[in-house]
């Protein structure tokens, strides 16, 4: 079974996202920030990471950069709703530039989540770049 790690600081949104992903047939675990995510990934590497961008302690961009530095090949979906002066478009574009496989603006539909997961789990052919 495909293991998905959700990294989201908002308790209500995290619970909703966990349930949505579980209903798609995936094994789900969840943490509240990038530091917890790194520890979870070290203990039990997932097949996919879905991370919020704006979080306390270690945000999603820092997590994405840390995973890249560690040479991780785990596909990542970045999620953002933006905040005040930082637009969700800026957050998601920044994540794309850092190599995430898919992005989702909050709020999103279950169908959009399905598409993002399918996109993220589709193997990339690095010889085409």
């Amino acid at each position: 079974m495909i293991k998905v790690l959700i990294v989201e600081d908002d308790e209500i949104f995290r619970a909703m996202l966990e349930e949505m992903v579980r209903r798609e047939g995936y094994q789900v675990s969840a943490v509240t920030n990038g530091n917890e995510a790194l520890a979870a990934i070290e203990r039990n590497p997932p097949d996919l990471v879905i991370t919020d961008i704006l979080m306390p302690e270690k945000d999603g961009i820092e997590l994405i950069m840390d995973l890249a530095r560690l040479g991780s090949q785990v596909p990542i979906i970045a999620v953002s709703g933006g905040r005040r002066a930082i637009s969700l478009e800026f957050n998601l574009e920044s994540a794309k530039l850092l190599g995430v496989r898919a992005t989702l603006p909050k709020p999103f539909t279950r169908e959009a989540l399905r598409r993002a997961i399918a996109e993220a789990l589709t193997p990339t052919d690095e010889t085409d770049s």
Side-chain angles (χ1 to χ4, degrees):
M1 179 177 282
I2 292 175
K3 296 181 294 189
V4 178
L5 175 64
I6 294 170
V7 189
E8 170 62 60
D9 62 313
D10 181 286
E11 186 177 341
I12 293 169
F13 188 80
R14 184 176 60 249
M16 185 238 4
L17 186 53
E18 282 182 73
E19 185 60 26
M20 286 172 77
V21 173
R22 195 170 283 116
R23 285 184 180 188
E24 294 303 314
Y26 301 105
Q27 181 181 328
V28 180
S29 58
V31 295
T32 61
N33 64 57
N35 286 328
E36 291 177 6
L38 288 173
I41 290 166
E42 188 175 315
R43 279 192 313 273
N44 187 14
D47 300 300
L48 174 66
V49 172
I50 301 174
T51 185
D52 189 19
I53 297 296
L54 299 172
M55 297 178 290
E57 292 186 47
K58 183 182 289 281
D59 69 27
I61 295 295
E62 292 168 314
L63 172 62
I64 293 162
M65 290 178 5
D66 284 350
L67 290 173
R69 270 194 295 274
L70 293 170
S72 173
Q73 297 299 309
V74 175
I76 302 169
I77 298 172
V79 178
S80 183
R83 192 175 294 154
R84 292 185 198 95
I86 304 171
S87 72
L88 68 91
E89 293 85 7
F90 176 81
N91 289 334
L92 296 177
E93 185 59 30
S94 298
K96 270 286 197 198
L97 292 171
L98 293 171
V100 302
R101 294 269 186 94
T103 59
L104 279 171
K106 288 180 186 175
F108 51 83
T109 64
R110 192 163 169 187
E111 184 54 39
L113 176 63
R114 274 191 203 111
R115 283 193 306 270
I117 291 172
E119 182 181 339
L121 292 175
T122 300
T124 58
D125 183 358
E126 307 230 347
T127 58
D128 285 349
S129 17

